[in-house]
Every structure is written in structure tokens, then in C-alpha cells.
Amino acid sequence: YMMVTNGNSKYLFIGLGWTNPPANSPTGSTFATPNDAGIAYSASCNWASNLAATYPDHLVVPVCHYFLDINGQPNTKDLPSDSDDPNGIHQSYINEGPGVFLWNPFKSMANIICFLCGHVRNTPMVVSTLTANDGHLVKSVKFDTQTISSGTGGVLRNGGQFVLYTVYPALHRITAKVYAVEYGRFLNNGEFATSGFTNNWNFATR
């Protein structure tokens, strides 16, 4: 985790690691059911939520590989065809991240402001608004360019981009723009838009 102070604002960024499924999983390289994933991720989710609770004066941003589905909800499946039964066999990559198991402990915290994640199926980017238990809004961003192969600037290969987030505490706003290492510049709005990708965006925070 990393703690950052910007003027009178304090931030706590928490990174959650990857958890591997058991060797005897019936689906091979993934957890067989969402509940199996929940049990495996419970330790890291509890650690992250306890850490956030320890610093109530810090605005918290958890970061993990897979949190949002393409519908903008924290979930434990990324294939709509999979069952909603948490004990049912799933073909989704539910081993990629904690999904709803991370949201459950954090949605009761007043200092949670944003979730950042990756992973992709049909949509390389999703910006979603979740509602915490006390009614405040929590922005969540799923960002993954691995399916983007061409656009107005030519070929954009996987792994050569990063997002620069700028926080404006007085305005309660965060802006973000994408830098492409291969191009040596920030991408312009409209590039790769046909792939469902937005290069510059901003959202309100508390």
C-alpha cells in the first residue's frame, strides 16, 4: 500500500495481489465457483478493509486486477452465460480478482472514493458509479487495452500504456488521460473510440 498527502487531503492506495486456485480445481486454471474464489480472497479483502479502517482520515483507492464486470458492477463472473448461483460451476475468469468480495467490506466505509482495476472481455474500458451504504458515490474504473490493436495512430500493442490520474481536492474531481509509450505522447480523444475506449475523462469524488 502507499500513502500520499496532497495539501490537506490524504490518500491511501491499497494493492491486492493475485490469488491462485487450488491445484485440484475441477475447472483447471480457475476457481470452480464464486464462493471458492471468495474463500480464497477473504484474507486479502479483510486485510485491505482493516487497513482502510485504520486510517479513517485517508481517502481510500483499492487497486486490483479484476473488480468490475462489463455491466459496471463488482461481480464474480465476466461471462453473462454463467450462472448467478455462487456455488455453481463457472467458466469465467473468477480467479482474476475478488469482485464483490472486495466491495462487501468496503461499501460500509465512509472514506472509500474509487476502485481501479483491469481485466477485459468484450469491453476494454468501463467507468461505473457505485453507491456506498451511507449514500456517497464511489467511482470505479476498469481499464485494459490488450484488445486494442489498431486505430488512427497505427498499431497500439498491449502493455505500452498507462493512465495519469490528477486529483483536484478543492474541486472534488479526478481527471485521467492515457499515455502511449509507443507513441511517446498522450492519446487524443477519439483514438481507438471504435474499440470502446475513451482517452480522457473526469469524474467527481468526495
Side-chain angles (χ1 to χ4, degrees), residues 6-34:
N6 180 11
N8 294 325
S9 297
K10 298 178 180 180
Y11 301 88
L12 173 62
F13 296 86
I14 305 176
L16 286 92
W18 185 289
T19 297
N20 290 316
N24 62 350
S25 174
T27 54
S29 61
T30 66
F31 290 102
T33 74

Side-chain angles (χ1 to χ4, degrees), residues 16-203:
L16 286 92
W18 185 289
T19 297
N20 290 316
N24 62 350
S25 174
T27 54
S29 61
T30 66
F31 290 102
T33 74
N35 277 347
D36 290 337
I39 293 171
Y41 275 102
S42 61
S44 59
C45 290
N46 290 337
W47 167 79
S49 59
N50 289 335
L51 180 63
T54 304
Y55 299 98
D57 60 334
H58 284 63
L59 300 175
V60 178
V61 181
V63 182
C64 63
H65 178 79
Y66 171 38
F67 175 72
L68 286 181
D69 282 342
I70 58 175
N71 63 2
Q73 295 299 308
N75 217 322
T76 51
K77 66 175 187 178
D78 57 0
L79 289 176
S81 57
D82 271 342
S83 168
D84 289 326
D85 180 2
N87 291 303
I89 298 295
H90 279 49
Q91 298 303 315
S92 299
Y93 291 141
I94 55 178
N95 65 311
E96 307 266 349
V100 71
F101 302 108
L102 182 60
W103 174 237
N104 283 339
F106 271 99
K107 64 183 179 182
S108 62
M109 295 186 174
N111 57 338
I112 180 73
I113 63 165
C114 182
F115 282 88
L116 301 178
C117 73
H119 189 62
V120 65
R121 270 292 187 182
N122 300 319
T123 304
M125 180 178 172
V126 175
V127 180
S128 177
T129 302
L130 306 174
T131 304
N133 287 352
D134 64 1
H136 84 268
L137 302 181
V138 180
K139 280 293 184 179
S140 299
V141 178
K142 170 178 121 68
F143 174 86
D144 193 318
T145 60
Q146 69 190 60
T147 59
I148 298 176
S149 59
S150 63
T152 58
V155 175
L156 188 64
R157 291 184 290 273
N158 179 25
Q161 306 82 44
F162 68 84
V163 183
L164 174 65
Y165 292 93
T166 304
V167 181
Y168 299 91
L171 301 176
H172 300 281
R173 185 158 293 279
I174 299 174
T175 64
K177 54 184 180 179
V178 181
Y179 186 88
V181 175
E182 295 171 51
Y183 295 173
R185 62 172 173 80
F186 287 98
L187 297 180
N188 299 313
N189 270 337
E191 287 185 281
F192 305 101
T194 56
S195 300
F197 190 69
T198 304
N199 300 318
N200 301 310
W201 70 97
N202 67 85
F203 48 87

